[in-house]
């Protein structure tokens, strides 16, 4: 998180034992509260509308957990085309 704020999208990590260097990519942080805010929904409404638990939405927004894998793709879809995601879920 601090790396992203400082403008880094990757970090070079050096191994202690063998001194090899590795490039570790810092994933783009998704602002779930902003995605939800664009839709004008409460946390409870967002969770119910998209079939996610309220606790999960709260954890994402409070930084206790970060969405990863399929959840990241799901949230990016909601951010770009919320009605299309909802139609897909209803089908």
């Amino acid at each position: 998180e601090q790396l992203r704020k400082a403008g880094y999208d990757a970090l070079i990590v050096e191994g202690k034992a063998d001194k090899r260097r590795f490039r570790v990519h810092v994933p783009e942080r998704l602002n779930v509260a902003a995605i939800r805010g664009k839709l004008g929904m409460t946390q409870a409404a967002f969770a119910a509308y998209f079939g996610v638990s309220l606790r999960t939405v709260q954890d994402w927004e409070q930084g206790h957990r970060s969405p990863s894998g399929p959840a990241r793709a799901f949230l990016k879809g909601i951010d770009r085309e919320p009605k299309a995601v909802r139609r897909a879920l209803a089908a």
Side-chain angles (χ1 to χ4, degrees):
E1 176 64 29
Q2 291 174 340
L3 293 172
R4 173 79 44 209
K5 287 180 182 177
Y8 293 98
D9 65 350
L11 173 68
I12 302 296
V13 178
E14 191 170 295
K16 288 185 177 187
D18 57 12
K19 301 293 184 194
R20 287 188 295 168
R21 295 172 63 118
F22 302 93
R23 183 179 198 101
V24 179
H25 292 275
V26 179
E28 171 192 350
R29 185 177 187 287
L30 289 177
N31 187 335
V32 179
I35 293 169
R36 182 179 55 77
K38 282 176 30 178
L39 300 173
M41 296 180 155
T42 63
Q43 288 178 335
F46 183 88
Y49 191 78
F50 292 107
V52 179
S53 78
L54 175 58
R55 171 51 56 207
T56 297
V57 173
Q58 291 168 338
D59 284 346
W60 286 340
E61 290 189 12
Q62 293 169 9
H64 298 298
R65 296 179 58 202
S66 295
S68 61
R72 289 180 64 77
F74 185 57
L75 288 165
K76 285 183 178 187
I78 291 170
D79 188 30
R80 293 184 180 115
E81 295 289 337
K83 290 180 182 177
V85 171
R86 184 63 187 146
R87 282 193 308 272
L89 292 172

